[in-house]
Amino acid sequence: ATAAAIKLTSGVAPSVRFGLPRPARTVVVSAGAASGADEADAPPSAGTAIAVDLWLAQNGTRSTLADGSTLWRLTVRCADCLWMSATVVGFKLPPGARLFVHGEGGVGAHGAYSAANNAAHGTFGVPPLPGRALTLEYHGDGASEPTLRLTEVLAGSSVAFAARPPNEASYDPLRRSVDASGGCMVDAACEPAWARAARGVVALLIDRAICSGTLVNTLGGRREKPLLLTAFHCVRSLVEQRIAAAR
C-alpha cells in the first residue's frame, strides 16, 4: 500500500490541534531524594537524572489520523517534578516526519522538528517542559516505525523552568546560589533602568546543571552570530569531556 501523505502542515502538535484524548499508556517515574551536595565551583544541580529505556515504537501509543498518517505518542509522568527534560537517542527523522515535545495539555510546546534537525551524533535533548508530564509526538506517514528512544529523564527541582511556584520546603538550588551572592546580586526587577537589558538574561541547562547567561549582541536583522556570555564553570564539564574524547 502507498504510504499516506501528511496533510497537516501546522506547527501545532497533532494531539493538541485535534483535541485527542490522553494516551492510555503512560510511563511513571519518580525523582526520589535529591542527589546530595553540589561539587565545589560547579553550577548547582537542576534536578535528578533518572535512567530509562523507553522506545517510542514499543512503549508509546500509535494512532491513525483522519488523513491516514500515523501519530506515535509517549508520555512520561513524574509526580514530584516541577519540570521535566529528557535525552533521546536514535534521532534520525526521515523526510516528511515531524517530532513535537510538550508538557501536559500542550504546555511549553516545541517543534516541529524534522529531518533538517538530524545530526551525526543522533542525540536530541528535550528542552525543559514545565509541569509533571512530558510527551513526545512523532507524526509520520506510517511507512516505518520511529527509532527514537528515551535514555534519561531529568526530573527538575529548580524553579527556573517551572510553571508554578514550589512550596517553601522544596529544594531550590537557584535560590540558594542567589542568596549566597549577597549584595552583589541585584534584582533587575527592582531597577527600571535595567529592564531592557534584563530581557537578555537566560537560564541555561547544561549537563544536568543550571546556570545563567547573557545575550551580548543585538542582531536587528543583520547576519552577526548570536553570542552568549556565561561563566567557565558552567561549561567546564563539557570542555573536559571534549578534551578527554580528543586524547
Side-chain angles (χ1 to χ4, degrees):
T2 303
I6 297 178
K7 299 178 182 178
L8 182 63
T9 58
S10 170
V12 180
S15 69
V16 178
R17 181 177 177 85
F18 297 127
L20 301 181
R22 292 180 181 176
R25 186 182 304 176
T26 299
V27 179
V28 179
V29 298
S30 176
S35 55
D38 300 314
E39 296 181 9
D41 195 31
S45 171
T48 302
I50 306 170
V52 296
D53 185 15
L54 301 173
W55 293 80
L56 182 56
Q58 298 176 9
N59 303 102
T61 301
R62 176 176 179 171
S63 304
T64 300
L65 302 183
D67 62 358
S69 60
T70 301
L71 180 66
W72 293 87
R73 287 184 288 169
L74 175 61
T75 297
V76 180
R77 293 188 176 276
C78 175
D80 43 2
C81 298
L82 295 179
W83 52 270
M84 300 174 68
S85 178
T87 299
V88 179
V89 300
F91 188 91
K92 190 173 182 180
L93 303 183
R98 302 182 306 157
L99 177 69
F100 301 85
V101 296
H102 59 81
E104 192 163 14
V107 174
H110 293 271
Y113 301 98
S114 67
N117 302 106
N118 291 343
H121 51 68
T123 302
F124 172 70
V126 176
L129 300 173
R132 299 184 176 95
L134 177 154
T135 296
L136 299 183
E137 293 196 19
Y138 177 94
H139 187 211
D141 57 15
S144 60
E145 292 185 345
T147 59
L148 303 175
R149 176 168 66 102
L150 267 71
T151 58
E152 181 179 282
V153 172
L154 184 61
S157 59
S158 169
V159 298
F161 305 112
R164 60 179 180 80
N167 57 50
E168 293 297 328
S170 66
Y171 172 67
D172 185 359
L174 181 64
R175 184 183 300 263
R176 186 184 65 190
S177 298
V178 171
D179 291 343
S181 299
C184 69
M185 185 70 77
V186 179
D187 189 346
C190 302
E191 302 291 338
W194 287 94
R196 186 170 183 271
R199 294 172 57 193
V201 178
V202 297
L204 303 174
L205 180 60
I206 302 177
D207 201 15
R208 308 186 189 98
I210 188 168
C211 241
S212 62
T214 304
L215 302 176
V216 295
N217 65 336
T218 302
L219 299 182
R222 294 170 292 182
R223 295 185 177 181
E224 296 103 332
K225 291 183 179 179
L227 299 177
L228 176 71
L229 177 66
T230 189
F232 174 73
H233 72 265
C234 294
V235 297
R236 183 179 62 183
S237 62
L238 300 181
V239 173
E240 291 173 346
Q241 291 171 22
R242 291 193 177 186
I243 292 176
R247 290 176 178 172

